[in-house]
C-alpha cells in the first residue's frame, strides 16, 4: 500500500485533519496519531503491525491505496464522467445585451436595441427538444442573463420558459429557472407569471449599498433612483414563492452603507429566510486587502448569520467551475455560444454557434478549453487538483505551463483545503439537525 497522492494534513487547534481531495473525505487525528502518520509517511505499511485499527481505517477510506493504483487516471475518468454527463444541463440564455441601467463596474458591452432574432429563438426551442429527447437528461437548469433579461421578458423569455416546461413535463425532467437581474423591471405581472408556472425560480438581485449609495450607481437613464422600486419588487417576488439571492456589490467606500440595506431587509428576511440568501462580493475593480473593509464585511456577515442559523440545503457546493462542463454553456442573443458568464461576450471569444435546427457547432477555442483541464503537468501532480478553483477560463488567459498560484501556492492550498473542510463540517451539521 502507498499513501494517496491527494492526502493533505492541516492543523485545527490541538487536532490535525487528514483530508483526501480525490475522495473528498477527512479524518480528525489527535497529536499522537498525527505523529504516527508523519513518522511512517514513507513506509505506511508498517502501521499494520503498530496500530492495526488505524491502518484498517486508512485503507478502508482510501487514504492508503494499492501500489499499482493510478490515481491520476482515476481522477481524469471521474472528472470526464461528471463534466460530460447528459443527465443534467445548465443553459444560460442572453435574450438581449441591452440594459436599462449603466453600472460603472459592469464588464459587459451593452448593445442598444439588441434583440434575439427569431432564428435563434427557434434554435433554442429545437435545442431544448433535442436535449429532452435524448433519453438521458433528468434535470435542466435554465438561466437568463445579459444585459438585462427582463427587457425581453414577454417576447423571448416567456416563450422559452413555456416551451421548456412543456418539453420537460412530457419527459418528466426536473426544470429550474434562474435569473440574474437588477429587478427594476420585475413587476408584479412578471412575478405572478413566474409563480403560476409552478416551477422553482431563483433571482440574483444586486445592490450597491443602502438607499443613498445604491442610487448613485443604479439609476435609470432619466436619473430616477431605483432602490425603493427594487426593494418593493424583491419583496413581492419572494411573497410569490420566488427565491432571491441578494448580491451585495461592495467597495471600500460603499461597504459600510450596506447596514442601511440590512436595516430595510432583515425584518422581511427573518420572515422569509428559507427563500432568501445574501452574497457579498467586492467589486472587481476596487482595491483589495483593506483591513477596514474586511472588518466591515465581517460585521455585515455577523448580522446576517444571527438570523441564518443553518444552511437548509444539506448539499455540498460544487467545487469545479461550470465553464469546465460540456453541458453548461451560454447562448448569446445572436446564437453565439460561450462557456463563461464572467467575461465579455466578444465575437472573437465565442466557442461555437447554435444553428436554427438546434444543433451545436463548437470551434477550436472550445476544444482548447476542454483540453486545458488536463494539459498542465503540475496540475496533474497537485494534491488539491480535484478541488482546485482555478477554472479553464483563467488557464486560457494565462500561462498554462505552471501553477497560476506558484507565488503563493502553499497558502492557496491550505486556504482551499480549509474551505472544503468547513463545507464538510457544515454538511455534517445539517444532516445531524435533520436526523
Amino acid at each position: 500500500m502507498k499513501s494517496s497522492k491527494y492526502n493533505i494534513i492541516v492543523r485545527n487547534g490541538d487536532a490535525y485533519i487528514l483530508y483526501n481531495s480525490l475522495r473528498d473525505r477527512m479524518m480528525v487525528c489527535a497529536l499522537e496519531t498525527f505523529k504516527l502518520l508523519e513518522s511512517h509517511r514513507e513506509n505506511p505499511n508498517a502501521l499494520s503491525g503498530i496500530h492495526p485499527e488505524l491502518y484498517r481505517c486508512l485503507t478502508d477510506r482510501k487514504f492508503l491505496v494499492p501500489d499499482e493504483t493510478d490515481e491520476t487516471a482515476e481522477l481524469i475518468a471521474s472528472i470526464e464522467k461528471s463534466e460530460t454527463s447528459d443527465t443534467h444541463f445548465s443553459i444560460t440564455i442572453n435574450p438581449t445585451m441591452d440594459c436599462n441601467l449603466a453600472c460603472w463596474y459592469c464588464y459587459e458591452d451593452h448593445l442598444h436595441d439588441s434583440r434575439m432574432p427569431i432564428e435563434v429563438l427557434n434554435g433554442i426551442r429545437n435545442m431544448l427538444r433535442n436535449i429532452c429527447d435524448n433519453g438521458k437528461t433528468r434535470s435542466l437548469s435554465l438561466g437568463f442573463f445579459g444585459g438585462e433579461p427582463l427587457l425581453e421578458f414577454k417576447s423571448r423569455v416567456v416563450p422559452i420558459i413555456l416551451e421548456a416546461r412543456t418539453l420537460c413535463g412530457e419527459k418528466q425532467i426536473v426544470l429550474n429557472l434562474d435569473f440574474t437581474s437588477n429587478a427594476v423591471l420585475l413587476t408584479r405581472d412578471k412575478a405572478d407569471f413566474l409563480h403560476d408556472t409552478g416551477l422553482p425560480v431563483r433571482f440574483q438581485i444586486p445592490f450597491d449599498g443602502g438607499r443613498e449609495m445604491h442610487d448613485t450607481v443604479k439609476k435609470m437613464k432619466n436619473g430616477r433612483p431605483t432602490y425603493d422600486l427594487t426593494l418593493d419588487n424583491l419583496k413581492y417576488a419572494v411573497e410569490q414563492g420566488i427565491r432571491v439571492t441578494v448580491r451585495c456589490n461592495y467597495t471600500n467606500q460603499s461597504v459600510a452603507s450596506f447596514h442601511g440595506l440590512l436595516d430595510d431587509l432583515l425584518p422581511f428576511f427573518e420572515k422569509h429566510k428559507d427563500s432568501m440568501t445574501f452574497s457579498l462580493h467586492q467589486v472587481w475593480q476596487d482595491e483589495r486587502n483593506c483591513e477596514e473593509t474586511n472588518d466591515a464585511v465581517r460585521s455585515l456577515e455577523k448580522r446576517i448569520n444571527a438570523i441564518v442559523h443553518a444552511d437548509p440545503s444539506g448539499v455540498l457546493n460544487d467545487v469545479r467551475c461550470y465553464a469546465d462542463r460540456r453541458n453548461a454553456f451560454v447562448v448569446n442573443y445572436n446564437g453565439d455560444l460561450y462557456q463563461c458568464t464572467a467575461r465579455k461576450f466578444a465575437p472573437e471569444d465565442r466557442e461555437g454557434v447554435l444553428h436554427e435546427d438546434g444543433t451545436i457547432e463548437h470551434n477550436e477555442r472550445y476544444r482548447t478549453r476542454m483540453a486545458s483541464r488536463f494539459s498542465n503537468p503540475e496540475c496533474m501532480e497537485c494534491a488539491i487538483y480535484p478541488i482546485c478553483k482555478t477554472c479553464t477560463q483563467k488557464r486560457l488567459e494565462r500561462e498554462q505551463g505552471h501553477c497560476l498560484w506558484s507565488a503563493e501556492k502553499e497558502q492557496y492550498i491550505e486556504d482551499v483545503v480549509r474551505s472544503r473542510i468547513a463545507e464538510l463540517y457544515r454538511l455534517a451539521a445539517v444532516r445531524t439537525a435533520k436526523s
Side-chain angles (χ1 to χ4, degrees), residues 250-256 282 286-290 293-294:
Y250 66 87
T251 64
N252 295 313
Q253 180 184 5
S254 70
V255 62
Q282 187 167 9
D286 199 39
E287 182 182 352
R288 304 284 167 159
N289 299 322
C290 173
T293 297
N294 293 338

Side-chain angles (χ1 to χ4, degrees), residues 207-214 227 248-249 254 257-258 260-261:
F207 282 82
D208 291 278
R211 179 180 288 100
E212 183 177 351
M213 183 63 70
H214 178 91
Y227 181 84
C248 302
N249 291 331
S254 70
S257 75
F258 278 93
L261 173 64

Side-chain angles (χ1 to χ4, degrees), residues 26 29 94 136 154 164 186 209 233 278 292 297 301 340 344 357 360 407:
M26 62 182 179
C29 306
N94 299 336
K136 301 177 183 178
K154 186 175 181 180
L186 185 53
N233 290 347
F278 285 80
E292 186 177 345
V297 170
E301 290 175 338
C340 179
K344 292 182 179 181
D357 65 358
I360 289 173

